[in-house]
Amino acid sequence: MALEYDLLNENVKKCQYAVRGELYLRASELQKEGKKIIFTNVGNPHALGQKPLTFPRQVVALCQAPFLLDDPNVGMIFPADAIARAKHYLSLTSGGLGAYSDSRGLPGVRKEVAEFIQRRDGYPSDPELIFLTDGASKGVMQILNCVIRGEGDGILVPVPQYPLYSATISLLGGSLVPYYLDESENWGLDVNNLRQSVAQARSQGISVRAMVIINPGNPTGQCLSEANLKEILRFCYNEKLVLLGDEVYQQNIYQDERPFISSKKVLMDMGSPFSKEVQLVSFHTVSKGYWGECGQRGGYFEMTNIPPRVVEEIYKVASIALSPNVSAQIFMGLMVSPPKPGDISYDQFARESKGILESLRRRAKIMTDGFNSCKNVVCNFTEGAMYSFPQIRLPPGALQAAKQAGKVPDVFYCLKLLEATGISTVPGSGFGQKEGVFHLRTTILPAEEEMPEIMDSFKKFNDEFMTQYDNGFGYSRM
Amino acid sequence: MRRFVIGQAKNLIDQTRRPRPHHNNIRLLSPLASDPIPVSSSRFFSDMTGSDSSSSLPVTIDSINPNVLKCEYAVRGEIVNIAQKLQDDLKINKDAYPFDEIIYCNIGNPQSLSQQPITFFREVLALCSHTALLDRDETHALFSADSIARAWKILDQIPGKATGAYSHSQGIKGLRDAIAAGIEARDGFPADPNDIFMTDGASPGVHMMMQLLISSEKDGILCPIPQYPLYSASIALHGGSLVPYYLDEASGWGLEISELKKQLEDAKSKGITVRALAVINPGNPTGQVLSEENQRDIVDFCKKEGLVLLADEVYQENVYVPDKKFHSFKKVARSMGYGEKDISLVSFQSISKGYYGECGKRGGYMEVTGFTSDVREQIYKVASVNLCSNISGQILASLVMSPPKPGDESYESYIAEKEGILSSMARRAKTLEEALNKLEGITCNRAEGAMYLFPCINLPQKAIAAAEAAKTAPDTFYCKRLLNATGIVLVPGSGFRQVPGTWHFRCTILPQEDKIPAIVNRLTEFHKSFMDEFRD
């Protein structure tokens, strides 16, 4: 055998991505055996019944089959503004959806993204510094690939974090420098924790190069305050770190005290020298928000204060992959310049969007409250994003049983939960957590009508689990 | 403290005057950064270095991943950048140029040069994009019945009919079933849908395999020279070593096993462990289609030497000569009696080429056979970090591998479109090949397949000297001159590597047929005047 396990790149073996790891694989197995599974392991809204927005699908369908635009009856099944928009996007391409675009993405779409950023933040944005990517994840990988030279390079990553970061840092052979979010402060970020983490890393000879923030957070959902963002930017300025701002959930805000404010806006507000010197890369996607178009694989990153020669190198690497997929670029264009009041499709679009966001807000509360009503479960409110990340206080009997079964305790709990209820979650260990503290991540995406039943099902399981292992009767049946 | 600070600053200045590897720079700065020196003083240091003021920034050209700096990709490199600037300028300065448009012959991007997509495929895609169409009566007037049926079939294979959801990380199961069936119909040997990994184009699949195979520069990958520079770039990005094997231009870019053996031994003697052999069939940029016998020798070679065979077969539908036929390496291996336990083979296919040319959709797959389950788990794991490839591309890949059949309503028009495109490509390949062979000092092997011509240009010494004076590779010099005189964008052979001392350029066969005569004329005229200028 030419390729044996032992000969594989160690970085590949080391990397982990729990979102589609053990629990998911077990859930898939059970599904094949006929069990009803509720997949709450990944932020995948359409898979749980959220309908796509009508307008973008109309536009993209027309772009897929431009011959429709030549048909005299097209106006009977497509609204005029969708037809106009399809023509507009096709004119931005150099041959329709089937031609490679500019490796950075269609210039016309990047211009629309820049205009969106400008409207959102009140500061100009340069389309030349915006690269469209096949999903935000690819963009993150490209930037980290640029920054990480070897294991001597450290990247500050929040704990808990979305494991794209840990997996990518592993694959690239870098070092993950964790900074802990404070669960007792609603997953707040304390700059002192940052300082400690950096000092510790440096004392180990690691050169800390970048800092990742996920805002709103994943899995934790917290929305950073403006003051917090200022502190972080100041910290990056002082410590000479490039800030990677993962802002893919910027449309998913479920409280009013801390609306979304972009890292770029705060940076620009701070003025010189910060606004001219702090390096920032901001990421966004069509997969989340109220669009939920995960399967399109559409995203972008915007670079601030990155030297031109570095931008060229990033462009060079992007060109090896030729171009991001063009359909998703059109979705991105539509997302940043959606129907406006007065447009034919506006009312339907606004209704659909509002419906989704308001429902998400309600579900965030239902879940948080539901978890908090369970024995030994404490759950911070989901301020934003798409997840609930309850802490499960596992009794000693459970810890023992897990050990006997050869499983990490939260994996043990989640597997039991899966087998009893069909609810497929991701154990907190997949995201990182404080030693001895256990969580699970679930999404708030199951349909609103199904929520009460799901929460009841969970509560019943949890009660039984706690009873079983609290009394020390528990033994592993793994 | 103040004297200490100034002393440190002086050291820094001295240091910057001597060339030194960048990591010293970092080590020098780090202790200072953690010292209790006020912020203003550290800013003072960076100002004092006298070098580029951005050197105080964390991410500069000096501090990024050196593998990124090392890798090159000429298909969208220097010449193309110049062409784009010319194109922009052409809009406002029409009269300043001896041509009125830029013709991009640098990249296999058919639909950007007016090739039309296959109607049936796009019908299905449109219906899957906006499924509400399937509920309307009017749809039957606008779409063929079999495209509607296929859309339903595909949607039934997608949980919840949700085309906007992340799929299984290997791709939607039902689509993989269709692809496996297509592979079996093509080869006569079964294919397992669980061996299929769908990717955003074939390129990400190649990257995944390089990531898996390469742990350090001691890991080598045998690559054909000339090669499609995805391979050299990917190997560089992953920190491995490219082990070249030269294709023989004199024998129509033939692949000699003796050459493979020689290069393998050479690599071994340098302490490189060769892990895989990459073969592009039909070839890019060279266009040759391997004979079955050749393929059998290659399979045996890989089996004997314990190499993974990476079979880039993205041009499998592009064969233009009656005396050659595409055979997949999977078919060849299986017909030799080799199974899962005998040979590790990764076969790449894409929706970007063939007659479908759907580059911008980014669809493709790799069929991974002959690996143990623990290795396959690792491949799956890497695929899962990116969640999945785009659904629209997945749908197209399944359509490409299971197109309309005789009897289907769309079959006639589908076949007409397909054959129209392929026969036109064959004609264009021949026309351009003949035209190039007429040019002084140029010999051009026929394009048996793929989408390119790769002529050898015997540059006069004077031209080579002029290139050297301009600090450019001779073939790049030629291509730049050609671009400026004709507006035609080619890729210099150096972008693909070639036998040292030989020069080539790659030209696609993709401009529409009606543009070919003008292209031939302009090329001919330019070449004549170039030779007049530089003839020895």
Side-chain angles (χ1 to χ4, degrees):
Chain A
M1 201 59 49
L3 184 57
E4 289 180 8
Y5 183 79
D6 294 333
L7 300 175
L8 289 182
N9 181 355
E10 282 303 317
N11 291 341
V12 167
K13 287 189 265 185
K14 267 194 296 195
C15 103
Q16 296 299 331
Y17 185 69
V19 173
R20 281 214 161 157
E22 183 181 2
L23 251 300
Y24 171 71
L25 293 169
R26 180 75 185 123
S28 303
E29 263 170 44
L30 290 171
Q31 187 182 45
K32 277 201 201 109
E33 291 166 20
K35 191 175 171 73
K36 177 169 188 283
I37 304 292
I38 304 151
F39 285 98
T40 71
N41 59 305
V42 64
N44 198 9
H46 294 198
L48 290 156
Q50 181 176 310
K51 296 263 162 280
L53 298 166
T54 307
F55 184 74
R57 291 307 188 95
Q58 289 171 326
V59 175
V60 174
L62 287 167
C63 293
Q64 298 276 23
F67 65 81
L68 292 170
L69 292 166
D70 297 328
D71 194 296
N73 294 321
V74 67
M76 282 171 56
I77 52 175
F78 290 93
D81 54 354
I83 293 170
R85 201 69 94 89
K87 288 183 177 159
H88 161 72
Y89 285 112
L90 284 171
S91 75
L92 295 180
T93 67
S94 50
L97 300 188
Y100 292 127
S101 72
D102 183 307
S103 300
R104 296 163 293 187
L106 295 165
V109 173
R110 284 153 56 218
K111 183 159 168 288
E112 291 180 3
V113 173
E115 286 162 2
F116 154 75
I117 293 171
Q118 176 149 356
R119 282 192 307 272
R120 182 194 66 191
D121 297 342
Y123 292 98
S125 174
D126 182 356
E128 297 297 290
L129 297 174
I130 294 169
F131 285 28
L132 305 182
T133 52
D134 285 313
S137 298
K138 279 268 162 75
V140 169
M141 291 179 194
Q142 279 174 37
I143 299 297
L144 286 174
N145 181 51
C146 190
V147 172
I148 295 174
R149 295 164 299 189
E151 65 184 355
D153 283 333
I155 311 292
L156 270 166
V157 174
V159 177
Q161 47 98 45
Y162 173 52
L164 163 69
Y165 294 94
S166 46
T168 304
I169 293 166
S170 249
L171 282 171
L172 296 173
S175 293
L176 190 152
V177 179
Y179 66 91
Y180 289 83
L181 301 174
D182 189 349
E183 189 161 12
S184 64
E185 294 291 331
N186 222 43
W187 297 113
L189 197 163
D190 185 349
V191 175
N192 290 316
N193 282 348
L194 284 179
R195 288 204 188 98
Q196 243 181 338
S197 300
V198 171
Q200 186 170 28
R202 286 186 180 145
S203 71
Q204 291 164 348
I206 291 173
S207 171
V208 184
R209 307 287 310 284
M211 173 175 176
V212 174
I213 57 169
I214 310 173
N215 181 37
N218 175 5
T220 47
Q222 85 287 11
C223 297
L224 294 172
S225 67
E226 191 175 344
N228 227 176
L229 282 166
K230 275 209 179 97
E231 273 187 307
I232 291 164
L233 287 160
R234 204 175 285 262
F235 179 78
C236 289
Y237 174 83
N238 289 340
E239 302 298 338
K240 304 204 187 11
L241 308 172
V242 55
L243 181 63
L244 306 183
D246 180 336
E247 300 177 333
V248 302
Y249 296 101
Q250 56 187 269
Q251 293 167 353
N252 303 101
I253 310 291
Y254 311 126
Q255 41 70 38
D256 302 316
E257 292 79 41
R258 270 176 305 288
F260 174 74
I261 175 167
S262 76
S263 306
K264 171 121 178 279
K265 177 171 185 347
V266 175
L267 178 60
M268 291 302 128
D269 283 345
M270 287 167 81
S272 251
F274 308 96
S275 56
K276 294 211 164 41
E277 297 188 31
V278 174
Q279 295 185 308
L280 167 66
V281 185
S282 312
F283 301 89
H284 198 9
T285 181
V286 303
S287 299
K288 310 299 178 192
Y290 52 93
W291 283 61
E293 291 280 8
C294 302
Q296 309 300 339
R297 311 318 277 113
Y300 75 75
F301 59 84
E302 184 197 20
M303 296 174 279
T304 303
N305 296 325
I306 305 290
R309 287 179 64 194
V310 175
V311 174
E312 266 169 40
E313 292 295 321
I314 296 172
Y315 181 10
K316 180 181 74 179
V317 175
S319 74
I320 301 169
L322 288 151
S323 102
N325 90 73
V326 179
S327 314
Q329 295 186 44
I330 294 174
F331 271 96
M332 181 58 79
L334 290 163
M335 188 179 86
V336 300
S337 45
K340 292 186 305 297
D343 292 352
I344 296 165
S345 301
Y346 176 73
D347 285 339
Q348 178 181 53
F349 182 84
R351 201 175 49 242
E352 289 173 350
S353 312
K354 205 153 160 273
I356 290 167
L357 281 173
E358 287 176 352
S359 174
L360 282 169
R361 191 180 263 237
R362 287 192 296 270
R363 283 179 274 171
K365 189 153 195 317
I366 292 171
M367 254 200 169
T368 308
D369 291 346
F371 282 128
N372 277 318
S373 74
C374 293
K375 186 174 173 198
N376 292 340
V377 179
V378 167
C379 191
N380 279 334
F381 177 61
T382 297
E383 298 183 354
M386 284 179 177
Y387 311 97
S388 195
F389 198 63
Q391 187 189 137
I392 318 285
R393 299 194 172 138
L394 293 169
L399 298 178
Q400 226 179 3
K403 194 157 173 214
Q404 278 174 336
K407 299 282 177 200
V408 170
D410 48 20
V411 173
F412 179 76
Y413 180 90
C414 290
L415 282 167
K416 291 276 183 191
L417 169 66
L418 169 65
E419 278 165 20
T421 66
I423 300 171
S424 172
T425 57
V426 188
S429 38
F431 305 88
Q433 52 204 350
K434 281 216 169 92
E435 181 84 36
V437 183
F438 305 106
H439 304 80
L440 58 83
R441 187 188 83 166
T442 174
T443 66
I444 60 170
L445 299 172
E448 216 174 322
E449 320 78 85
E450 293 176 28
M451 278 279 185
E453 195 191 321
I454 291 172
M455 295 317 289
D456 281 343
S457 180
F458 174 84
K459 189 164 187 172
K460 182 165 175 283
F461 158 79
N462 183 70
D463 277 346
E464 285 168 6
F465 182 96
M466 293 305 168
T467 307
Q468 181 179 10
Y469 291 105
D470 251 331
N471 297 349
F473 287 165
Y475 55 92
S476 160
R477 272 187 215 274
M478 304 300 286
Chain B
M1 176 68 108
R2 197 180 143 78
R3 236 183 290 141
F4 167 80
V5 156
I6 291 176
Q8 291 296 317
K10 278 211 166 116
N11 276 339
L12 266 177
I13 294 169
D14 292 341
Q15 295 265 359
T16 53
R17 293 223 172 95
R18 291 193 305 272
R20 68 186 193 287
H22 64 265
H23 62 268
N24 283 346
N25 194 11
I26 305 298
R27 255 189 266 132
L28 185 65
L29 286 172
S30 302
L32 290 171
S34 57
D35 276 356
I37 296 172
V39 167
S40 53
S41 304
S42 352
R43 306 306 297 171
F44 173 71
F45 291 150
S46 37
D47 292 334
M48 289 291 287
T49 58
S51 53
D52 171 25
S53 65
S54 65
S55 65
S56 63
L57 295 173
V59 180
T60 67
I61 199 71
D62 302 312
S63 66
I64 61 173
N65 182 355
N67 289 344
V68 166
L69 294 171
K70 255 199 304 196
C71 81
E72 296 297 334
Y73 186 70
V75 175
R76 279 203 157 166
E78 187 192 2
I79 302 256
V80 179
N81 290 337
I82 298 172
Q84 275 162 351
K85 293 200 180 72
L86 285 177
Q87 189 171 37
D88 288 336
D89 201 50
L90 205 54
K91 291 187 190 135
I92 41 180
N93 279 328
K94 263 203 210 353
D95 302 320
Y97 299 94
F99 48 84
D100 40 43
E101 59 171 343
I102 301 288
I103 304 182
Y104 288 96
C105 296
N106 59 306
I107 181 172
N109 195 12
Q111 293 190 29
S112 75
L113 291 162
S114 303
Q115 180 176 308
Q116 294 304 302
I118 299 295
T119 306
F120 177 78
F121 293 168
R122 291 303 191 90
E123 284 182 296
V124 175
L125 278 182
L127 291 166
C128 292
S129 281
H130 183 42
T131 56
L133 288 170
L134 291 166
D135 299 324
R136 303 189 65 139
D137 293 327
E138 296 98 327
T139 301
H140 292 275
L142 285 168
F143 291 82
S144 61
D146 52 348
S147 71
I148 293 172
R150 185 71 80 101
W152 275 119
K153 183 165 178 216
I154 289 169
L155 288 168
D156 283 339
Q157 291 167 335
I158 299 176
K161 298 189 177 34
T163 54
Y166 292 127
S167 71
H168 186 286
S169 295
Q170 283 178 246
I172 293 160
K173 177 67 173 29
L175 300 179
R176 285 185 279 132
D177 288 340
I179 290 172
I183 293 171
E184 181 165 352
R186 180 194 69 195
D187 296 345
F189 292 96
D192 184 348
N194 294 322
D195 290 341
I196 311 280
F197 287 76
M198 301 188 73
T199 49
D200 290 302
S203 300
V206 172
H207 284 303
M208 257 197 261
M209 289 313 301
M210 294 304 176
Q211 179 149 63
L212 220 73
L213 291 166
I214 297 172
S215 298
S216 75
E217 73 268 11
K218 288 203 178 343
D219 290 313
I221 312 287
L222 270 163
C223 289
I225 301 297
Q227 49 100 47
Y228 173 51
L230 162 68
Y231 292 90
S232 47
S234 189
I235 293 165
L237 277 173
H238 291 100
S241 292
L242 189 152
V243 178
Y245 65 89
Y246 290 87
L247 300 174
D248 181 19
E249 188 159 14
S251 65
W253 298 113
L255 197 164
E256 301 294 322
I257 299 296
S258 54
E259 167 67 4
L260 290 179
K261 285 198 177 108
K262 172 163 164 275
Q263 298 297 348
L264 180 63
E265 292 310 317
D266 193 61
K268 274 189 192 151
S269 70
K270 293 194 188 121
I272 292 174
T273 310
V274 178
R275 311 293 308 283
L277 168 66
V279 180
I280 310 174
N281 183 45
N284 176 5
T286 47
Q288 86 286 15
V289 177
L290 296 172
S291 70
E292 256 185 297
E293 192 190 335
N294 214 178
Q295 288 181 277
R296 283 195 288 268
D297 290 339
I298 292 166
V299 168
D300 268 329
F301 176 77
C302 288
K303 183 171 184 301
K304 178 160 167 283
E305 303 292 347
L307 305 177
V308 175
L309 178 52
L310 303 174
D312 179 336
E313 300 178 328
V314 303
Y315 295 100
Q316 55 187 267
E317 301 266 12
N318 302 98
V319 179
Y320 308 127
V321 296
D323 56 308
K324 290 287 184 79
K325 207 170 153 282
F326 169 77
H327 303 282
S328 76
F329 269 102
K330 172 108 174 297
K331 178 173 97 169
V332 169
R334 293 289 179 271
S335 54
M336 292 165 80
Y338 294 148
E340 285 279 335
K341 296 204 185 340
D342 301 302
I343 177 140
S344 302
L345 167 64
V346 183
S347 312
F348 300 94
Q349 165 63 317
S350 168
I351 66 172
S352 301
K353 312 301 177 190
Y355 55 89
Y356 19 90
E358 297 278 19
C359 301
K361 306 290 292 155
R362 311 316 281 115
Y365 68 81
M366 52 183 190
E367 184 191 12
V368 175
T369 57
F371 292 87
T372 51
S373 58
D374 50 4
V375 171
R376 294 166 55 88
E377 270 164 33
Q378 296 300 314
I379 299 176
Y380 173 82
K381 183 176 70 176
V382 173
S384 76
V385 179
N386 195 48
L387 284 149
C388 71
S389 65
N390 85 80
I391 307 301
S392 184
Q394 290 187 35
I395 293 173
L396 256 177
S398 79
L399 291 169
V400 159
M401 296 306 287
S402 59
K405 290 186 306 298
D408 292 352
E409 179 185 318
S410 300
Y411 180 72
E412 296 297 335
S413 56
Y414 157 78
I415 277 294
E417 287 175 356
K418 170 182 174 181
E419 291 182 351
I421 288 168
L422 287 173
S423 59
S424 171
M425 281 185 184
R427 285 192 299 273
R428 286 178 270 167
K430 198 96 198 70
T431 305
L432 283 168
E433 178 216 325
E434 282 169 355
L436 288 166
N437 272 312
K438 288 203 179 91
L439 302 180
E440 181 189 345
I442 290 190
T443 51
C444 188
N445 281 336
R446 66 175 182 168
E448 299 182 347
M451 287 178 177
Y452 315 97
L453 286 162
F454 198 66
C456 180
I457 168 166
N458 198 356
L459 287 167
Q461 259 315 113
K462 261 173 84 180
I464 294 176
E468 258 155 47
K471 289 193 177 29
T472 314
D475 46 17
T476 307
F477 179 78
Y478 179 88
C479 289
K480 276 189 192 164
R481 283 291 202 100
L482 196 156
L483 170 62
N484 284 312
T486 66
I488 298 171
V489 189
L490 307 175
V491 188
S494 336
F496 305 88
R497 296 184 54 171
Q498 52 210 338
V499 170
T502 67
W503 312 108
H504 301 77
F505 58 80
R506 188 186 81 167
C507 180
T508 70
I509 60 170
L510 299 174
Q512 285 305 299
E513 257 181 293
D514 55 3
K515 286 215 149 74
I516 298 286
I519 290 173
V520 168
N521 285 344
R522 274 196 246 165
L523 265 172
T524 306
E525 240 183 77
F526 161 77
H527 186 77
K528 186 172 178 305
S529 73
F530 183 91
M531 293 305 274
D532 285 344
E533 185 180 343
F534 291 106
R535 198 174 290 113
D536 291 322

